[in-house]
Amino acid sequence: MGPPAAIEVTSETDTSGVTIPNPLTAPIKSNEIYGRRKRAPKSQWAVAAPADSLNFRHSKYEHRPKSKRWDHYITSEAMIRKGNSLKKAAKYLGRPGIISLGGGLPSSEYFPFEELSLKVPAVGHFSEAETRETGVVITAGKHDLAQDKSTFDIATAFNYGQGTGAAQLLRWITEHTELVHSPPYQDWRCTMSIGSTSALDMALRMLSRPGDMILSEEYTFSAAVETAAPLGVRVAGIPLDAEGLLPDAMDNILSTWDPHVRMARKPHVLYTVPTGQNPTGATQSAQRRKDIYRVCQKHDIYIIEDEPYYFLQMQPYTGPNSPDVPAPASHTEFLQSLVPSLLSMDTDGRVMRLDSFSKVLAPGSRIGWVTASEQIVTTYQKHADVSTQGPAGMSQLILFKLLEDHWGHSGYLDWLIHIRMQYTKRRDVILAACEKYLPRDIVSWKPPMAGMFHWLRFDFRKHPDYPGKSIETIEEEIFLRIIDHGALLMRGSWFYANAEDEHDTLFLRATYAAAPEEKIDEGIRRLGEAVREEFRLGKSDVNGSGKV
Amino acid sequence: MGPPAAIEVTSETDTSGVTIPNPLTAPIKSNEIYGRRKRAPKSQWAVAAPADSLNFRHSKYEHRPKSKRWDHYITSEAMIRKGNSLKKAAKYLGRPGIISLGGGLPSSEYFPFEELSLKVPAVGHFSEAETRETGVVITAGKHDLAQDKSTFDIATAFNYGQGTGAAQLLRWITEHTELVHSPPYQDWRCTMSIGSTSALDMALRMLSRPGDMILSEEYTFSAAVETAAPLGVRVAGIPLDAEGLLPDAMDNILSTWDPHVRMARKPHVLYTVPTGQNPTGATQSAQRRKDIYRVCQKHDIYIIEDEPYYFLQMQPYTGPNSPDVPAPASHTEFLQSLVPSLLSMDTDGRVMRLDSFSKVLAPGSRIGWVTASEQIVTTYQKHADVSTQGPAGMSQLILFKLLEDHWGHSGYLDWLIHIRMQYTKRRDVILAACEKYLPRDIVSWKPPMAGMFHWLRFDFRKHPDYPGKSIETIEEEIFLRIIDHGALLMRGSWFYANAEDEHDTLFLRATYAAAPEEKIDEGIRRLGEAVREEFRLGKSDVNGSGKV
């Protein structure tokens, strides 16, 4: 298979309204990613060879600032972790002709796998139906590397690897990161994770000690709270609106922080999901991100930017009766339509960005990656080497065959545009259903701009049992009533950043990601029924079924 | 594909000298594994469905003792960990006809994978050459489950899953564990890990607090020491011989433990690699294991049994000029030839056994499993749900297709016998080379019975620079001299359980697992050259090259 078509991105044609801070002065140009790759010794593709994303960056970074050091935040646990010392013996393996009786790596002779094949979509023919018709079969052999057929193969990928993941896939990931974010400081690096939940666990062990509080949106990803709690780390919630967490509120919380009242020292870590936040669906605008970054600089806050939904940014919502906005006409237009990441404005190196393939390829790869300054990435890698290890080599080989050998960067951007249009369609389906079935005086919402979640606000004051019953009790009754009507939504209280805080809002979270479109419509119809019954309203005029 | 051939194991024909404690009274019989499986609702195969190994055990366990509780050892971190609360909403998904707008799972419509195929060995034709000739192609489709073609498919495996791993593969793993170990207490369970390094990290976070010491062999797997150290956990080394750690020495260490001298409370965790220990290659005999278990009972020690090399037990070593011992003639003979595990004698439920596919299938699967009492396994699973998650679904599907759909239990046992014979051959090659090339007055060894490692003892007292130089300095000089001669071995001091202890032994570790056989011979020849030079002996009579 020849090199994939070059990507069309150029920096000269930026016509978007968004000014991306610290634009590349020597950006990745069209036609250049594959041609401009540094030639590297073949030894970097070998079994368990060390991988360094530094080798895979294209632009020059010498004129950019160096990142700040984070010694004052890094825990002693992380500071003293040496990584796996046996891997240091690998440095002697470069000697010509050396025979290794050193590392306890099994011989690939005993991997019972001769060939791995995948049927995957051809670029531009991405639907399931098209893939069945016109899908392409891509194959990895056992010894492709030794036979010079590919840089990656079963013998290599299925053996042990480094905590970074294999250089073969790390190169692609680094290039993709540079293309999309172009971090504005010198010493940024990438390393793979086994998924962002694990990455958060490892980040907290690197940056927090028991008794600490970290900052997050006041409704936040519950697994993050549940990952932090056993480490003795609590979450201080920051109020948010449809554009995500409020910088002034954050500034105020930090400026007035009283350790005696909070029973924790002043926080130094912000955990945020800037795009399509879970559960609220809120997406921070470019200006909002700048303001948040500025508050973080003011209080020296380290930022964990968790961005699983970054490429689930959708087309603008035009309402039920207006024509759709056409798909991005080029890769340039697509990339410029994306809200700039915190990483892309991170002149200090104070952002650890968590990316994941879970929402855009498949969660079952358990492959994500971390982008941060060299100090942070090195610390992370050492931890991976003595705990998680890198992602499964089987998954790495599968993604490599798809992303590097088949689609290339260009085909992947096409795929991301496809996903964008699919989620736009789904989002529009749920919004149309909500317009149709839900009583607007009880339930209100903002159209989500990104992600998987539609966040429905309920006016609990209109509930017949209010104020006799608490918000949480009313929430539970609504939740169970909806189940009785045959639909499942998630309770907003499950996402409290801090369950001990007072809350005077009642939300339910619906997702439009999972169910087929006609089921989404029917699910929301059932929701409408349940809400009318629970709030003792009359039956809906629309599709009123006998079942109430 | 029809059900695989039944396995031939029967309990009636135990003719080995080893008395397995607590033998099964209702063992898994021949021809029965597939036929005896409980019928389970199809819902257990669904995306992210909860999996419980309890559903997959065959024998009756009611008459066996219940495990002890470990509340007195479990850390508060582990005790308060709730797992991922959102997964609890899954219980409502069983309602007929319910439409889920709940879980944020992506639709498999957007997984760009239509089919996954593997070319793998047919049972009994396991070599690489045979696999190229007669290998079988096995295929997983995207929607095999919905189409009733299989219980596992791309749509399911590539989505999110539970921390336990998927029921489809967990069933196979549970049955395999029962077949090999038949744990002698009631409430044993299995759950998948992402590999034993991660499992150890998680076990230590469950069982140790900063400042603790754990017990291990005085030479031990360095990554274990390096995983423990950042958690504030140090390792107390126990002397060992060719049959592994010495129970009396362990008893003595515990009985005379002085917290003030050791600066740690009395240990309550033993980390041991009973079979083919890394780095010493020592294998505990059945009697040795019983004695160790008894000491652990006496001092209420919880045991982490790390067994990556369990199925690298080899045929007896007969020496260079004697005929080889023929391969096991049946599965029964094979299973009976294995040293019984600590798990198989664990009447208290005090063993957490770590198994791994890394050494017998491929490290790149990143799939292992934990077997322990329900309390420990539940605690482990909750941790996985908010950190590592289960193993990559891509790997799980690959192993499922091979182990469940293709080989079955019977074919896998055949494969393990194949691996056993291959490692026997390799071990014999390195032993023959050592006999041939090494000066026996300087270097001595015991033939390894299991694992990947050959542990070479050097009589440092015969080194010309002794006692002027320290053992570690002499070790380094030997190590570097060997590299100069074109071979790489590992330094014994890298495996000190506790670098602060005094050591009066000097070892190097060689592996026969990785290099081709002719390279093993040449590597040992170079080692012999280097040692003669380093110890200023005359040239060897054997294959004396001009190069010295």
Side-chain angles (χ1 to χ4, degrees), chain B residues 93-105:
Chain B
L93 295 178
R95 303 210 173 191
I98 199 160
I99 294 175
S100 176
L101 307 176
L105 304 173

Side-chain angles (χ1 to χ4, degrees), chain A residues 10 74 122 215 249 251 283 307 324 327 360 386 389 392 407 413 420 424 449 492:
Chain A
T10 62
I74 294 179
L215 301 165
D251 187 15
T283 296
E307 278 288 49
D324 294 338
V360 287
V386 293
Q389 311 276 345
W407 282 352
L413 293 180
R420 176 186 180 96
T424 300
M449 294 167 58

Side-chain angles (χ1 to χ4, degrees), chain A residues 426-546:
Chain A
R426 288 174 161 270
R427 186 262 329 257
D428 292 353
V429 166
I430 204 169
L431 288 174
C434 288
E435 302 272 359
K436 197 159 137 197
Y437 300 120
L438 300 188
R440 298 297 298 255
D441 49 335
I442 305 288
V443 193
S444 57
W445 61 87
K446 296 258 167 62
M449 294 167 58
M452 298 180 149
F453 302 116
H454 188 37
W455 187 234
L456 297 165
R457 180 174 191 140
F458 286 73
D459 188 348
F460 60 88
R461 290 186 178 79
K462 298 202 172 123
H463 192 277
D465 296 338
Y466 181 83
K469 290 179 177 168
S470 72
I471 294 178
E472 280 80 5
T473 305
I474 293 173
E475 186 197 72
E476 182 172 26
E477 288 180 5
I478 300 173
F479 170 76
L480 292 173
R481 176 89 61 180
I482 299 167
I483 289 171
D484 284 345
H485 282 261
L488 178 69
L489 278 76
M490 295 302 207
R491 295 174 60 177
S493 61
W494 289 345
F495 301 91
Y496 287 164
N498 193 327
E500 285 164 23
D501 288 347
E502 292 283 312
H503 293 88
D504 70 342
T505 45
L506 195 167
F507 290 97
L508 293 180
R509 190 194 80 178
T511 179
Y512 43 92
E517 287 169 24
E518 65 283 6
K519 297 264 184 175
I520 294 175
D521 184 83
E522 171 62 13
I524 296 294
R525 196 191 63 72
R526 295 177 185 181
L527 170 65
E529 257 180 20
V531 172
R532 285 198 164 73
E533 193 176 294
E534 180 66 27
F535 283 78
R536 304 196 203 135
L537 308 180
K539 281 187 199 172
S540 168
D541 291 340
V542 186
N543 282 6
S545 73

Side-chain angles (χ1 to χ4, degrees), chain A residues 85 99 101-102 110 114-115 117 119 128 142 158 160 205 226-227 359 364 386 393 426 486 488 509 511, chain B residues 85 99 101-102 110 114-115 117 119 128 142 158 160 205 226-227 359 364 386 393 426 486 488 509 511:
Chain A
S85 63
I99 294 175
L101 307 176
Y110 310 129
E114 173 64 23
E115 222 171 71
S117 294
K119 187 172 176 187
E128 284 197 315
K142 191 162 188 180
F158 285 22
Y160 282 103
R205 288 170 70 185
E226 289 158 356
T227 298
K359 307 303 191 293
V386 293
R426 288 174 161 270
L488 178 69
R509 190 194 80 178
T511 179
Chain B
S85 63
I99 294 175
L101 307 176
Y110 310 129
E114 174 64 23
E115 224 172 69
S117 294
K119 186 172 177 187
E128 283 197 314
K142 191 162 189 180
F158 285 22
Y160 283 103
R205 288 170 70 184
E226 288 158 356
T227 297
K359 307 302 192 292
V386 293
R426 286 173 161 271
L488 178 69
R509 191 194 80 178
T511 179

Side-chain angles (χ1 to χ4, degrees), chain A residues 80-86 88 382 386, chain B residues 221-231 235 494:
Chain A
I80 65 177
R81 200 176 267 120
K82 289 190 303 183
N84 184 334
S85 63
L86 290 187
K88 76 191 168 197
K382 284 181 182 170
V386 293
Chain B
F221 181 39
S222 53
V225 178
E226 288 158 356
T227 297
L231 304 175
V235 181
W494 289 346

